[in-house]
């Protein structure tokens, strides 16, 4: 989402943040990069545990999160927001988490990123780290009103970053029907209609899956080779899915051909269509809910990867935990967990063309023009 900032005060900006992050953050640090006055996304990370002001852990944390923001090449300004359940003032009288924010601000300044604002939203008030002598208990929280900000057609998300990760409901009768269908289902890597089935699945209504359709797709996601074809295709389109199928077939014959296209599972390639990925995620979550327990790990791992690809590592980590309850040694779940721990994001997460009309500043205008040319060369996924 891109929002043109026209805030007259920080309360209005804080009312915008849930629209940008797609959640109401809790115990979080949020960095909002800007291209001049326009947001180019947001990055939310869990707050680290409290440390003393000079502890090296804060510097390491700041280096990681700011390093990720620096990869958004069009960003030249950043706003920082801390969300905490702690009181606004800590035992020393400083604003909550001030030592952590000091480390982040120093790192931003070292990277020549202009600081738009640095704010704290605590349990009993909010205020600015850049104005520490403001009201001792902070400003009233009721001044932050996301529901008053006209952004898009939907209501602001009220849940925190974990909301919405629950699997859809499924009863025993449905799981038994899918289990019976699985007993007679057969989908192989050499199936000539594999990629067509994977593509057709995006048009299905997840709430009204036919047991046979569900069973066949559960099989696809339960086997690494066919699962990788599906994830690649949902990310990059039918042509990439067919290329992935050819590569997997060659590999299964003992050949080692060069990969024809980006390695999507590692987050390579142009930005996918987020609506397409979201449809795939909704489908994978529904399949995980209706699959018999022995077959649930595959759809859950696919859901974890799709959530990660969409930039929602919190949900991805939740699905990884569910996979590990079923299969502690699941390969894809281990890979996703490693990427989350390392704060590794898909390359397309940083691919943010400067929105809107050309800026007036000459240097910024050249960068804006280059971003548009790069976007045109990359094209959009099918």
């Amino acid at each position: 989402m891109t929002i043109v900032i026209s805030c007259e005060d920080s309360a209005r900006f804080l009312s915008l943040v849930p629209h940008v992050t797609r959640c109401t953050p809790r115990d979080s640090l949020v960095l909002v990069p800007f291209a001049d006055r326009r947001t180019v996304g947001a990055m939310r990370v869990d707050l680290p545990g409290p440390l003393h002001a000079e502890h090296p852990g804060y510097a390491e944390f700041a280096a990681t999160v700011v390093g990720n923001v620096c990869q958004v090449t069009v960003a030249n300004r950043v706003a920082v927001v801390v969300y905490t359940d702690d009181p606004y003032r800590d035992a020393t009288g400083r604003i909550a988490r001030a030592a952590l924010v000091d480390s982040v601000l120093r790192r931003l300044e070292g990277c020549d990123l202009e600081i738009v604002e640095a704010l704290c939203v605590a349990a009993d008030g909010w205020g600015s780290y850049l104005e520490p002598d403001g009201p001792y208990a902070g400003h009233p929280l009721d001044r932050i009103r996301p529901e008053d900000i006209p952004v898009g057609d939907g209501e602001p998300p009220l849940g925190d970053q974990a909301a919405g990760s629950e699997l859809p409901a499924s009863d025993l009768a449905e799981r038994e029907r899918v289990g019976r269908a699985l007993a007679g289902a057969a989908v192989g890597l050499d199936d000539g209609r594999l990629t067509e089935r994977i593509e057709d699945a995006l048009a299905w209504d997840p709430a009204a899956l036919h047991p046979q359709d569900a069973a066949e797709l559960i099989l696809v996601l339960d086997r690494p080779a066919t699962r990788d074809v599906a994830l690649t295709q949902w990310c990059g389109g039918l042509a990439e899915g067919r290329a992935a199928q050819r590569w997997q077939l060659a590999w299964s014959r003992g050949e080692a051909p060069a990969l024809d296209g980006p390695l999507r599972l590692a987050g390579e390639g142009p930005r996918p269509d987020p609506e397409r990925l979201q449809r795939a995620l909704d489908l994978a979550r529904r399949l995980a809910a209706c699959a018999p327990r022995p077959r649930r790990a595959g759809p859950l791992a696919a859901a974890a990867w799709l959530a990660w690809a969409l930039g929602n590592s919190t949900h991805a980590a939740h699905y990884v935990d569910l996979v590990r309850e079923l299969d502690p040694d699941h390969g894809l779940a281990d890979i996703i967990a490693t990427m989350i721990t390392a704060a590794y994001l898909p390359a397309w997460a940083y691919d943010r063309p400067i929105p809107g009309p050309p800026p007036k500043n000459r240097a910024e205008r050249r960068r804006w023009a280059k971003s548009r040319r790069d976007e045109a060369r990359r094209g959009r996924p099918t």
Side-chain angles (χ1 to χ4, degrees), residues 28-30 47 80-84 96-97 100-101 119-121 129:
S28 301
L29 172 72
V30 175
L47 288 175
V80 179
V81 187
V82 164
Y83 290 85
T84 177
R97 298 299 188 129
L100 170 65
V101 172
L119 299 163
C120 175
V121 181
Y129 293 100

Side-chain angles (χ1 to χ4, degrees), residues 174-335:
E174 180 184 37
R175 292 192 293 274
E176 288 181 343
R177 289 193 296 272
V178 173
R180 288 194 294 271
L182 274 163
V187 180
L189 183 61
D190 58 354
D191 189 323
R193 295 195 66 257
L194 175 64
T195 54
E196 283 72 16
R197 293 185 187 193
I198 291 169
E199 195 67 20
D200 291 345
L202 291 179
W204 296 349
D205 178 1
L209 289 178
H210 188 280
Q212 189 64 38
D213 290 336
E216 290 181 358
L217 200 53
I218 288 168
L219 281 183
V220 168
L221 298 180
D222 194 44
R223 297 165 179 168
T226 51
R227 176 204 64 210
D228 292 356
V229 173
L231 295 180
T232 297
Q233 181 169 328
W234 287 335
C235 188
L238 185 58
E240 287 192 27
R242 288 169 176 163
Q245 183 183 21
R246 289 193 298 271
W247 189 91
Q248 291 285 1
L249 284 168
W251 180 267
S252 70
R253 295 191 296 266
E255 303 170 13
L259 186 64
D260 182 15
L263 183 57
R264 287 296 192 173
L265 267 68
E268 296 178 1
R271 177 187 298 279
D273 178 351
E275 293 183 3
R276 182 180 174 89
L277 285 183
Q278 186 61 56
R279 290 198 303 273
L281 175 56
D282 292 342
L283 181 61
R285 294 174 67 251
R286 187 73 182 86
L287 292 168
C290 71
R293 183 178 174 84
R295 297 285 194 173
R296 196 170 294 166
L300 280 171
W305 187 87
L306 290 161
W308 173 81
L310 282 163
N312 195 334
S313 292
T314 300
H315 287 197
H318 172 65
Y319 300 134
V320 165
D321 288 342
L322 294 181
V323 173
R324 285 176 161 174
E325 291 176 6
L326 301 165
D327 181 359
D329 300 317
H330 195 281
L332 180 59
D334 286 346
I335 291 170

